[in-house]
Amino acid sequence: MSDQASPAALRGGIDLGGTKIQAAICTPAGAVVGQSRRQTPTTGGPPDVAEQMIGALGEAADSAGVETDSLAGIGVGSPGDADEETGDVSDARNLPSWDGSFALGSRLSQALGAPVRVGNDVDVATNAEFVFGAGRPYGSLLGVFWGTGVGGGLILDGKRWLGRGAAGEIGHMVVRRGGARCPCGRRGCMEAYAGRMAMEAKARREHEGVRTTDLFELMRKHGHDRLTSSIWERALKHHDPLADELIDGAVKALGAGIASAVNLLDVEAVIIGGGLGVRLGEPYVKRIRERMGKHLFVADNPPDVKVAELGDLGGAIGASLLFADDAGGG
Amino acid sequence: MSDQASPAALRGGIDLGGTKIQAAICTPAGAVVGQSRRQTPTTGGPPDVAEQMIGALGEAADSAGVETDSLAGIGVGSPGDADEETGDVSDARNLPSWDGSFALGSRLSQALGAPVRVGNDVDVATNAEFVFGAGRPYGSLLGVFWGTGVGGGLILDGKRWLGRGAAGEIGHMVVRRGGARCPCGRRGCMEAYAGRMAMEAKARREHEGVRTTDLFELMRKHGHDRLTSSIWERALKHHDPLADELIDGAVKALGAGIASAVNLLDVEAVIIGGGLGVRLGEPYVKRIRERMGKHLFVADNPPDVKVAELGDLGGAIGASLLFADDAGGG
């Protein structure tokens, strides 16, 4: 473990994603002194997911040379509706059989012997960028996590803004009323154009029609069963016309949606993360910035727009911040 | 003047609009003990506008039985870019020859003998609804002022949220990327569908084409040279098909744009004011609420959506709140 921190100063963080569980042991300064990653179960239910989270956090603690019950606390960044007051998680629809509510915080705390707090995955990842990452210089920012869906997190006046608990759903801001069907079931959401799930569905429809594309051949060749961020990146490098077209649509939707959010909130900065955001990086963030310019009401004073810095570990680091000294419990 | 307040506890408020200047003398509890209204000059420049503001505030003070230099302060709600630090107003393009910057606060303070603070018109009107009006029960809210344009103001965690000074431009959130041209020059903004100026332009184009409508006949009959909120109201009562169609488009755009803002911020309440909002009232706010329902991500927990309560005086009362005990200067 780190020379700089006693075990009691260390925090655990778990980023619970639809495909992987990332656990980390962090110092108060955000250094990762131990980590582990496991696959998220695709069958079973919430107790099986919790079991893998417990295992991953235990491994991360082992690699840091500490016992889990010596940690100051363990934070969890969760999809679905994460109740910071109770630690319960409900409606995590990208996790197996998690349509109802499950007392995730209690279960983890019981097994790991440390206090557990549960927050929204995107909110905690935004906070990590604010405290330790690309958002450090700013007092207000919008985090945009461009991946399977498009999630958003807000820091206003130096603090996470959660609204009544469900703030940050930037992916479901309407960019084209009456437009494309979104995975959420509504029409014209930003995510209907920019989310990887929506883009893959569109690509499959086009491919089954008249369009030729290398996207699905690349997917099979690299042993995937879905269009990962790396597959999109490869296809763009080959100038695959369908990939170009869909990503161009995503960039336009992100530009309009993010600019709308900036027109409303006038934040100092926008931090773009997520699988696609981090993978495609600055060249595409530059294009998003340009598209935003068409819609910004105060066009001569745009916010800074930057790529997230913490990469895959941002979620777990942000989760550990639920036990930062000034974080509070709810 | 009021028995309840000494002159030193009274504040002045001036709402500077494109067509009228509304001045009020207010008690700390928001009671209006004197008021006056003048027409906003349509020619000349900023000094001429300031002259009418000074006259209006003086008349309001007269009617309250106080001298202007005995007031605790005078707040101004201004269009354009109002700098709360300096009291300067720039780019107030709906006022005559006000493309540059003018030291409005200094000019008024010098003439009226009291400290002056200048804020954004929509922000202060939102704050008035928060402190004294329909927003009283809430800790966070979005004010939507539906009139010539569509302005927005935010109260988050009990305080006005101004961003870097330009927050609240809800009218320029994109509801239809690539859609109708907005008076701001961009495309697809909410205001391009819902603003009275945009709707009037569309009505004129339709009327010059094949469409029949009573809108312009009603306008002339009632001695107006533009489609005021009362003209729209009359046309809707007559079931004028073009008025119905345009207001229906406005309601859809407002529903999508406001729902987008709620998806991002998850505020407790939305307060709808402005000339059209107040004039058309609850029956149309109900329709906006229904349209929002199609786009709200957390559909089973919508915010309360209410009509503004303070009517025409809200702007001036809100301006006086720039001198509330906890308001601060900038």
Side-chain angles (χ1 to χ4, degrees), chain A residues 156 161-164 264-265, chain B residues 84 120-145 152-163 167-168 261-262 265-271 303 318 321-322 326-327:
Chain A
L156 300 177
W161 175 259
L162 306 177
R164 295 177 294 159
L264 182 65
L265 287 172
Chain B
E84 294 204 10
N120 174 272
D121 50 359
V122 178
D123 285 327
V124 303
T126 298
N127 199 37
E129 291 293 332
F130 171 62
V131 177
F132 297 125
R136 284 192 313 281
Y138 309 104
S140 63
L141 61 86
L142 169 67
V144 179
F145 290 81
L154 286 166
I155 303 288
L156 301 178
D157 205 11
K159 295 193 296 281
R160 292 189 300 149
W161 175 259
L162 306 177
V262 170
L265 287 171
D266 196 24
V267 287
E268 295 169 32
V270 176
I271 310 296
L321 281 171
L322 290 169
D326 59 347

Side-chain angles (χ1 to χ4, degrees), chain A residues 82-142:
Chain A
D83 186 327
E84 294 204 8
E85 301 284 337
T86 63
D88 297 352
V89 172
S90 46
D91 297 325
R93 297 211 168 86
N94 58 347
L95 298 176
S97 303
W98 205 316
D99 297 337
S101 182
F102 179 72
L104 181 64
S106 301
R107 175 75 192 96
L108 297 183
S109 184
Q110 184 190 36
L112 295 166
V116 171
R117 289 178 184 156
V118 177
N120 174 272
D121 50 359
V122 178
D123 285 327
V124 304
T126 298
N127 199 36
E129 291 293 333
F130 170 62
V131 177
F132 297 125
R136 283 191 313 281
Y138 309 105
S140 64
L141 62 85
L142 169 66

Side-chain angles (χ1 to χ4, degrees), chain B residues 16-32:
Chain B
L16 172 57
T19 55
K20 65 178 172 52
I21 291 162
Q22 174 73 57
I25 308 296
C26 304
T27 71
V32 174

Side-chain angles (χ1 to χ4, degrees), chain B residues 89-101:
Chain B
V89 172
S90 46
D91 296 325
R93 297 213 167 85
N94 59 348
L95 298 176
S97 302
W98 205 317
D99 296 338
S101 182

